[in-house]
Amino acid sequence: MDRTAQLTAPALDREIAYDPPSTRTTGPGFLHVRAAGVLADNWTGSSTVPSRSLYPHQWSWDSAFIAIGLRHLSPLRAQTELETLLAAQWADGRIPHIVFNPSVPLDAYFPSPDFWRSSTAGRAAGAPRTVQTSGIVQPPVHALAAWLVHLADPGLSRARGFLATVHPRLAAWHRYLLHRRDLGGGGLASVVHPWEQGMDNSPCWDAPLARVAPAPARSFQRADLDHGAAEDRPTDLDYGRYVRLATDYRDAEYTDRQREFAVEDPAFNALLIASEHALARIAQELGATGTARHARAERLTAALVDRLWDPEREIFLCRDLRGGGLIAERGVSGLIPLILPELPREIAAALVRTLSGPHFGTGTHLVPSYDLLGEAFDPHRYWRGPAWANTGWLLERGLREHGERERADALGEAVVRTAEATGFAEYVDPYTGEACGATGFSWTAALALDLHHRLHVPHDERRKRQEPDKS
């Protein structure tokens, strides 16, 4: 039996598959089989690569999103995905954004392990000695993923002690962000590199990046252009700035202080808040109250509104800590706080208007990553306009959280339909749905699978799995 069949065949043990395989070549059942095929092809034995060619290692927030989809195919594999990532955590609590596979050649991806030098440059911060990682982080969606994975099969989770294993690591991760990364002193976590926020090439970073002198072009060799069109990828100038920031952080032994690039981002912090709520639920499952974490999440929500909400633009903006103010660019990051349950009603309503209005919702198949009316909008260039499955998934949750069921259903269906039509593309033109970047992309497959279950698996079947509508 091949790996796809293992994931879609009726389960005989704890490798649970919730949907039976289908002989159809279209429709929800066939999507299940195709998505399972992508996740099987990208599985390494202990984790899932985002793309075999373009991203041949384990990425932090990718693995969290991948686990959310894998839970419908194999809860055990979803748990393993997160456990593998957390095993590479540093002693200071950070979860590195890449965990490198030692069997992959160094020239397959840049920056490679010999650039980051985690075991030496990161020694003071507690980088692991037995595995090579990067030294920066990515958005903290991991506790939310762990909670959803637990809900997929609570019996298996309890039998394996899954939550008891991951809880202290997730708590340390949040402590790192809330203390070491509160560079602005207002309670929010800051990112010190555009790669940390996940939306690497967003125009929201143009102003703070303009202060950064790029690394000389001869000092590095890009590997991404071997697998993607140059017009879809960051420019050489921006890439040189990324390399400079990473080099300086490495040479400072990954110490966290006010740096040349330091930004408070709404999506990064919204995911931290959502994961604080998830950690509270995990604590309750393990016998604690979770009250303190829910209270912290409420305080962080208030800080997010106080520091990053722009009432005139009706969107959250990034705050440039070096530049001293809000960055006047509308990115999809500013809509992601819609996932937060305690968001004031008037702000949630304003975000829905922005999501549906001319800046993000006019004439598009999916929500673009950047303002349709912005000067820097490009429907194909990495995070400067294209639509992504993970932001669509988050916004679908947010709409549903605030009672916008019809909009949530429409967005979810659009993500699933586009994912299947494009061969699970990394990202797409928001107007035409044309595929961009890699195909067979893991989080696209995983999140399309999760949305398929939300939209097409009957409510009573979800209840049997103790899975709430909002999961």
Side-chain angles (χ1 to χ4, degrees):
M1 183 180 290
D2 65 24
R3 286 182 293 177
T4 303
Q6 289 174 0
L7 284 176
T8 57
L12 298 177
D13 54 19
R14 285 295 187 177
E15 287 287 297
I16 294 176
Y18 289 126
D19 281 353
S22 172
T23 57
R24 290 180 293 175
T25 58
T26 59
F30 185 59
L31 177 136
H32 175 99
V33 174
R34 290 185 64 197
V38 170
L39 296 174
D41 288 345
N42 291 341
W43 176 251
T44 68
S46 59
S47 64
T48 310
V49 299
S51 163
R52 284 286 181 183
S53 59
L54 190 54
Y55 306 104
H57 301 285
Q58 184 179 25
W59 260 257
S60 172
W61 76 326
D62 289 74
S63 278
F65 287 125
I66 290 163
I68 289 168
L70 273 177
R71 68 189 174 126
H72 300 294
L73 301 170
S74 167
L76 177 59
R77 191 168 290 188
Q79 292 175 28
T80 301
E81 183 81 38
L82 295 173
E83 291 164 347
T84 300
L85 176 68
L86 291 171
Q89 186 174 27
W90 292 25
D92 67 0
R94 83 182 73 194
I95 298 174
H97 98 296
I98 302 175
V99 181
F100 290 105
N101 184 341
S103 67
V104 174
L106 288 178
D107 62 358
Y109 182 81
F110 179 83
S112 52
D114 57 342
F115 171 88
W116 295 103
R117 305 172 200 162
S118 61
S119 59
T120 54
R123 184 179 298 136
R129 296 184 178 182
T130 57
V131 62
Q132 293 294 311
T133 75
S134 66
I136 60 175
V137 302
Q138 277 190 321
V141 68
H142 310 87
L144 174 60
W147 178 243
L148 295 180
V149 166
H150 165 77
L151 291 176
D153 190 337
L156 174 65
S157 176
R158 293 169 187 143
R160 296 187 68 246
F162 170 64
L163 292 183
T165 298
V166 302
H167 178 266
R169 292 185 175 273
L170 293 170
W173 169 222
H174 285 210
R175 281 196 301 274
Y176 168 78
L177 293 173
L178 291 168
H179 297 287
R180 302 281 185 95
R181 287 301 188 90
D182 183 10
L183 302 181
L188 299 182
S190 300
V191 296
V192 299
H193 196 292
W195 288 339
E196 292 198 311
Q197 194 271 351
M199 304 176 192
D200 311 355
N201 197 38
S202 170
C204 297
W205 315 135
D206 289 355
L209 275 177
R211 295 190 298 264
V212 178
R218 64 182 180 279
S219 67
F220 62 92
Q221 180 65 47
R222 297 178 63 172
D224 61 320
L225 298 183
D226 295 337
H227 306 285
E231 60 269 21
D232 291 352
R233 305 292 299 173
T235 65
D236 287 341
L237 175 60
D238 284 335
Y239 213 92
R241 287 168 168 153
Y242 303 155
V243 173
R244 170 67 70 189
L245 287 172
T247 301
D248 290 350
Y249 193 39
R250 178 200 66 200
D251 293 348
E253 298 184 324
Y254 299 111
T255 55
D256 293 310
R257 59 179 186 271
Q258 185 68 272
R259 310 196 67 83
E260 191 169 14
F261 181 99
V263 175
E264 292 175 351
D265 173 76
F268 193 99
N269 282 281
L271 290 172
L272 175 59
I273 295 166
S275 280
E276 274 290 301
H277 283 300
L279 262 184
R281 296 185 181 99
I282 291 171
Q284 290 172 320
E285 169 66 22
L286 296 174
T289 64
T291 303
R293 291 206 176 274
H294 281 308
R296 183 180 294 118
E298 291 175 6
R299 291 196 300 272
L300 287 169
T301 300
L304 183 74
V305 171
D306 180 61
R307 291 182 66 80
L308 304 186
W309 176 245
D310 186 318
E312 293 184 5
R313 292 180 175 85
E314 294 195 324
I315 195 169
F316 287 89
L317 301 177
C318 298
R319 180 175 292 276
D320 180 2
L321 297 181
R322 281 291 303 275
L326 296 176
I327 300 170
E329 296 283 2
R330 296 176 176 89
V332 71
S333 171
L335 300 173
I336 301 303
L338 195 61
I339 65 174
L340 300 177
E342 286 88 12
L343 203 64
R345 183 177 301 177
E346 65 275 12
I347 291 180
L351 287 175
V352 172
R353 288 195 296 271
T354 301
L355 177 61
S356 307
H359 294 284
F360 288 93
T362 301
T364 57
H365 287 267
L366 294 173
V367 181
S369 51
Y370 175 65
D371 183 358
L372 295 168
L373 304 180
E375 291 184 8
F377 175 78
D378 185 328
H380 284 193
R381 195 176 289 276
Y382 205 64
W383 289 110
R384 300 180 80 84
W388 295 69
N390 66 330
T391 55
W393 183 88
L394 289 166
L395 290 170
E396 189 272 351
R397 283 182 70 85
L399 288 167
R400 202 170 297 280
E401 178 70 49
H402 292 281
E404 297 285 344
R405 181 174 178 176
E406 289 186 8
R407 284 190 170 98
D409 286 349
L411 178 56
E413 291 284 8
V415 172
V416 171
R417 188 168 57 248
T418 304
E420 185 171 21
T422 60
F424 305 100
E426 183 181 2
Y427 50 103
V428 301
D429 183 313
Y431 285 116
T432 67
E434 177 187 349
C436 302
T439 54
F441 197 71
S442 290
W443 82 23
T444 305
L447 296 177
L449 184 62
D450 188 68
L451 287 167
H452 153 66
H453 274 258
R454 190 198 307 279
L455 295 165
H456 296 290
V457 174
H459 176 70
D460 58 344
E461 289 298 313
R462 290 201 302 271
R463 286 177 56 187
K464 288 178 185 177
R465 289 176 235 139
Q466 303 181 34
E467 182 179 331
D469 282 345
K470 292 179 182 178
S471 70

